[in-house]
Amino acid sequence: MAFKGVDYLLIDSQFSEQELMVRQTARQFIDDKVMPRIKQAWNEGQGFQDLAREMGALGFLGANLEGYGCAGMSNVEYGLLMQEIERGDSGLRSFVSVQGALVMYPIMTYGSDAQKEKWLPKLASGEAIGCFGLTEPDFGSNPAGMKTRAVLDGSDWVLNGEKTWITNGSLADVAVVWARTPDGIRGFLVERGTPGYSTSDIHGKLSMRASVTSSLAFSDCRVSQENMLPNGKGLKAPLGCLTQARFGIGWGVIGAAMDCYETARQYTILRKQFDDKPIASHQLVQEKLAVMITEITKAQLLALHCGRLKDEGKLDAAHVSMLKRNNVAMALDCARLSRDLLGGNGIMDDYPIMRHLCNLETVKTYEGTDHIHTLVIGERVTGIAAYK
Amino acid sequence: MKIIVAIKQVPARDSQLKIQSGAQWIEEDDLTFEINEPDAYALEEALQLKEKHGGEVVALCLGPARAASTIREALAKGADRAIHISEESINGLDTLAVAKLLAGAIKSEAPDLVLTGLQSDDLGYGQAGVVLAELLGVPHATIIMQVSIEGGTLRVKRELEDGWFQFVTMPLPAVLTIQSGINKLRYATLMGIKKAKTKEIKVLSAADAGGAGTAVSTLDRVYVPLRTKVSTIFEGDAKSTAAQLVEKLKFEVRVL
Ligand SMILES: Cc1cc2nc3c(=O)[nH]c(=O)nc-3n(C[C@H](O)[C@H](O)[C@H](O)COP(=O)(O)OP(=O)(O)OC[C@H]3O[C@@H](n4cnc5c(N)ncnc54)[C@H](O)[C@@H]3O)c2cc1C
């Protein structure tokens, strides 16, 4: 069934016609191409990489970037796109986020002209897939401690180390890998098939099952000097990418929350208990629906405000921390409340709720855990960095 | 080849309709509007013909200011430019007036082919395309399921009743009224949506389009069909009752 949107507070009136058209394309695409197969994809642990080219042709990959075949959307349009994609599945949204915000964005921002020309058109069209390697087995929340190293040998960089939890890892034609050099942390483009570079998939995930997650290993992996991103240096370079992706997450999770809420709303109206009355007629049930729609509405306004600020060039990383932290927690709460309202059916894969709930546990952890974003906000208001 | 596609903006298909006091039309204030479904297929057919034969697709819309959003959607999907005959009270127009205005806007364009939807989802007369062809003095064919063009000749497949089809060959220029489902609708790409802003929309008044003239038919009253409850009990064995049920679902309830 076609999704009609969730708009309690007439927030649609704040979107331009073009923004709504972008949302409509994304909404239709998700209803047509993702909803019919998400249950199977999840159960079989299959990613959606076969949709890459179609999404590329529609402009979904690197949508808020300009040039090289990218759609040049505003950040609000990009946010609405993420919202609709994650209404489908957080795993698909991860695929699109990584491609756009964590691979295309750093190449666009820190890359050489040759790197941009080589990779951006192919990444935008979905002909090539990318991944982003920052996290390591021993360094998750604290990437500053990374052990992966790159040393210059003649005109080549030689990489050694391991990355883990890498979305799209084994699918990627190109990996953006962050490594320590004598000169600080730098980004490298490592192509699939480079000797000394291997990947292995992580199995047994009970979250993000419709997304591929891998480990990357570098053992005397040689890449030429032209593969280093020349214009980004230090940890702030990968963190700059994460700010882009987190912005998209802040919008995306609203979609997951909407899907849970809307499923629960419809279910409680149809499901009857006690004297043939819909369970939605009970005050305790209505309270949960009221809480959810209120929280979704607040999250929509937060996301919209952040989107407008970003379009004005005024959104900074600490703002994005508030957006990511609040909206992910909101979506998780909605998933749990909705799960409850469906009773036993709530745990079944015929309904999307348990899948969103499990996915959102990852979304809470990746791209800066809830704790870390709390501490970023804490630092902003106190001037004291508690995580260091 | 120049193709003009006439598109209409109508209330979204799942709308909750309320009748205006005075019963002359429906309340429009809380409705969302979208492209008339068969017109979306007509537009898609035009875009596919252009991809095959080259040329230009012009979207033509008669409607109030709000119809601009449907026009821009057509541009986003790939129409090259648009003509908007801006008229706030189209619900008071009869088919002849609608066709006159469309013909008035089309004549100076001298298109090779005009496509319309088979009918509009709101009024459902199914006449605009036919009358338009008459006013333009060109041949027409209705309920089109397939279009091919070879050397200036048009060959079309018409849907008849009961699973029958008819193939018709006709010269260009011509008017075709397109049936829903003839092709697979495309999405507006994000690039297309952005590009739409730069495409021309020529706005005409009804007078610019030659005027609507006087109505020869008038809309008397809009009302909700009266509900009459009839129960049918099928007689016979399981096989024949099942067959009767399928018959009803197919041809009366039309859900199959
Ligand atoms: C499915 C999935 C996909 C992923 N995709 C990618 C990817 O594409 N690329 C990539 O680089 N990474 C990716 N990640 C990794 C992700 O970013 C990390 O898991 C995340 O940064 C947390 O690191 P960790 O798992 O090592 O947890 P830890 O850092 O060990 O954290 C464990 C707990 O300790 C808390 N904690 C740690 N330090 C502090 C502190 N100072 N104060 C308070 N609490 C603290 C955390 O908040 C958390 O609750 C992905 C992860 C998953 C699960």
Side-chain angles (χ1 to χ4, degrees):
Chain A
M1 202 177 64
F3 178 67
K4 306 260 169 49
V6 173
D7 185 14
Y8 185 85
L9 214 53
L10 312 185
I11 296 171
D12 275 5
S13 64
Q14 301 302 304
F15 294 123
S16 71
E17 183 186 292
Q18 182 176 317
E19 287 162 349
L20 293 175
M21 230 192 272
V22 168
R23 184 180 71 183
Q24 185 54 29
T25 286
R27 186 168 281 180
Q28 247 178 297
F29 176 81
I30 293 299
D31 283 342
D32 296 347
K33 301 288 163 78
V34 177
M35 291 315 197
R37 54 182 273 214
I38 180 60
K39 173 175 153 179
Q40 193 185 357
W42 167 273
N43 286 336
E44 293 175 2
Q46 299 285 338
F48 279 97
Q49 49 278 11
D50 61 306
L51 292 181
R53 279 171 196 258
E54 198 173 348
M55 291 195 293
L58 288 171
F60 289 5
L61 305 177
N64 58 345
L65 301 176
E66 192 84 55
Y68 299 97
C70 301
M73 293 285 104
S74 73
N75 289 293
V76 170
E77 287 159 343
Y78 174 74
L80 288 168
L81 173 66
M82 294 299 125
Q83 173 191 299
E84 290 305 318
I85 293 177
E86 192 148 2
R87 180 174 65 79
D89 189 72
S90 303
L92 181 65
R93 204 268 306 127
S94 300
F95 180 95
V96 176
S97 281
V98 166
Q99 182 91 347
L102 299 182
V103 178
M104 295 170 71
Y105 174 83
I107 294 175
M108 186 77 99
T109 312
Y110 312 126
S112 66
D113 285 343
Q115 290 166 343
K116 292 184 204 179
E117 267 145 40
K118 174 164 186 191
W119 287 111
L120 291 175
K122 281 189 193 165
L123 290 162
S125 70
E127 186 188 333
I129 291 174
C131 73
F132 175 87
L134 178 66
T135 304
E136 299 185 356
D138 293 335
F139 294 92
S141 295
N142 178 25
M146 72 172 63
K147 287 200 223 156
T148 300
R149 262 159 223 287
V151 289
L152 203 54
D153 179 34
S155 63
D156 290 341
W157 286 97
V158 181
L159 275 74
N160 277 289
E162 196 185 334
K163 298 288 178 185
T164 193
W165 294 119
I166 307 307
T167 302
N168 294 354
S170 64
L171 302 172
D173 300 290
V174 60
V176 175
V177 180
W178 301 93
R180 190 176 295 289
T181 72
D183 199 20
I185 289 171
R186 307 291 306 235
F188 296 88
L189 302 180
V190 182
E191 294 181 32
R192 181 213 287 281
T194 306
Y197 169 45
S198 60
T199 65
S200 60
D201 285 347
I202 296 175
H203 295 290
K205 283 182 297 168
L206 299 178
S207 170
M208 294 290 188
R209 289 188 52 75
S211 162
V212 173
T213 316
S214 322
S215 293
L216 316 180
F218 304 91
S219 145
D220 288 332
C221 170
R222 274 179 182 272
V223 298
S224 95
Q225 246 171 331
E226 279 87 73
N227 287 32
M228 187 179 78
L229 296 173
N231 305 321
K233 209 164 109 180
L235 195 61
K236 65 178 191 301
L239 293 185
C241 306
L242 293 174
T243 303
Q244 304 305 311
R246 289 163 181 169
F247 170 79
I249 291 173
W251 281 85
V253 291
I254 299 171
M258 285 173 167
D259 197 28
C260 292
Y261 161 79
E262 195 46 33
T263 303
R265 190 186 69 81
Q266 291 176 17
Y267 185 89
T268 55
I269 292 169
L270 291 177
R271 169 74 176 166
K272 295 194 172 122
Q273 284 294 289
F274 295 101
D275 304 327
D276 210 27
K277 283 200 310 212
I279 56 175
S281 67
H282 300 292
Q283 292 178 0
L284 288 173
V285 170
Q286 289 199 3
E287 190 256 1
K288 288 190 168 64
L289 294 170
V291 165
M292 280 193 270
I293 188 62
T294 306
E295 292 307 316
I296 289 172
T297 302
K298 285 152 67 181
Q300 286 175 297
L301 293 171
L302 178 58
L304 177 57
H305 182 63
C306 287
R308 298 278 184 239
L309 282 183
K310 190 161 161 57
D311 281 332
E312 291 166 19
K314 292 181 187 158
L315 190 74
D316 69 26
H319 295 146
V320 176
S321 284
M322 181 181 280
L323 172 68
K324 194 262 182 186
R325 174 178 180 272
N326 181 79
N327 286 11
V328 174
M330 174 287 298
L332 258 175
D333 288 343
C334 285
R336 292 186 177 128
L337 290 171
S338 308
R339 210 295 304 150
D340 189 10
L341 290 181
L342 264 74
N345 277 330
I347 69 158
M348 297 303 293
D349 66 4
D350 291 336
Y351 295 91
I353 296 174
M354 202 69 177
R355 176 170 53 79
H356 284 309
L357 178 49
C358 292
N359 283 340
L360 289 164
E361 291 291 350
T362 285
V363 184
K364 186 181 183 186
T365 289
Y366 74 12
E367 301 271 354
T369 67
D370 181 88
H371 288 163
I372 296 299
H373 289 297
T374 306
L375 300 182
V376 172
I377 298 170
E379 180 184 5
R380 168 58 57 92
V381 298
T382 63
I384 305 166
Y387 44 85
K388 283 185 183 145
Chain B
M1 185 151 102
K2 187 197 272 192
I3 306 172
I4 292 191
V5 192
I7 56 175
K8 183 178 185 182
Q9 191 185 50
V10 296
R13 245 162 308 153
D14 43 26
S15 302
Q16 296 283 330
L17 300 180
K18 269 183 260 154
I19 291 167
Q20 268 180 357
S21 63
Q24 290 304 295
W25 192 237
I26 48 176
E27 294 280 2
E28 292 197 343
D29 285 353
D30 295 331
L31 293 180
T32 50
F33 291 86
E34 61 185 18
I35 187 168
N36 180 44
E37 191 186 42
D39 300 357
Y41 287 94
L43 173 66
E44 178 61 40
E45 196 58 26
L47 295 173
Q48 291 188 13
L49 287 171
K50 180 192 153 178
E51 280 160 9
K52 259 186 236 140
H53 304 282
E56 185 189 30
V57 173
V58 184
L60 168 65
C61 179
L62 163 61
R66 63 163 155 74
S69 63
T70 291
I71 293 173
R72 268 187 294 269
E73 206 181 303
L75 295 173
K77 287 200 168 179
D80 297 284
R81 60 188 171 89
I83 302 167
H84 183 179
I85 310 169
S86 191
E87 171 59 56
E88 285 307 313
S89 55
I90 58 163
N91 305 319
L93 301 176
D94 65 351
T95 305
L96 179 61
V98 167
K100 269 187 183 161
L101 290 172
L102 294 178
I106 288 171
K107 264 183 193 138
S108 61
E109 291 281 344
D112 300 293
L113 184 62
V114 177
L115 303 183
T116 72
L118 163 68
Q119 59 187 22
S120 55
D121 289 340
D122 53 358
L123 287 169
Y125 296 151
Q127 290 296 305
V130 179
V131 179
L132 173 62
E134 202 57 36
L135 295 175
L136 292 173
V138 301
H140 76 267
T142 55
I143 330 181
I144 300 305
M145 292 299 292
Q146 198 179 299
V147 181
S148 58
I149 299 173
E150 255 165 68
T153 307
L154 202 51
R155 185 176 150 85
V156 298
K157 179 178 173 186
R158 298 188 60 224
E159 186 184 64
L160 304 180
E161 283 174 34
D162 250 354
W164 284 79
F165 295 99
Q166 180 187 35
F167 287 88
V168 181
T169 306
M170 55 203 286
L172 289 169
V175 176
L176 302 176
T177 78
I178 303 291
Q179 170 71 303
S180 291
I182 174 174
N183 46 39
K184 207 169 148 289
L185 299 179
R186 70 190 64 197
Y187 304 102
T189 67
L190 306 196
M191 296 72 130
I193 291 171
K194 196 164 181 203
K195 204 165 159 207
K197 273 199 293 204
T198 64
K199 293 179 175 174
E200 179 197 88
I201 303 178
K202 188 160 94 184
V203 180
L204 302 178
S205 66
D208 294 335
T214 33
V216 292
S217 73
T218 51
L219 200 150
D220 190 40
R221 180 166 74 98
V222 176
Y223 63 99
V224 178
L226 297 175
R227 229 180 249 280
T228 47
K229 200 170 166 185
V230 188
S231 307
T232 312
I233 295 171
F234 301 125
E235 309 276 354
D237 61 4
K239 200 171 161 198
S240 85
T241 51
Q244 290 174 57
L245 178 62
V246 168
E247 181 89 2
K248 289 257 182 216
L249 292 175
K250 253 192 192 156
F251 299 108
E252 258 176 47
V253 199
R254 288 171 183 272
V255 292
L256 287 185

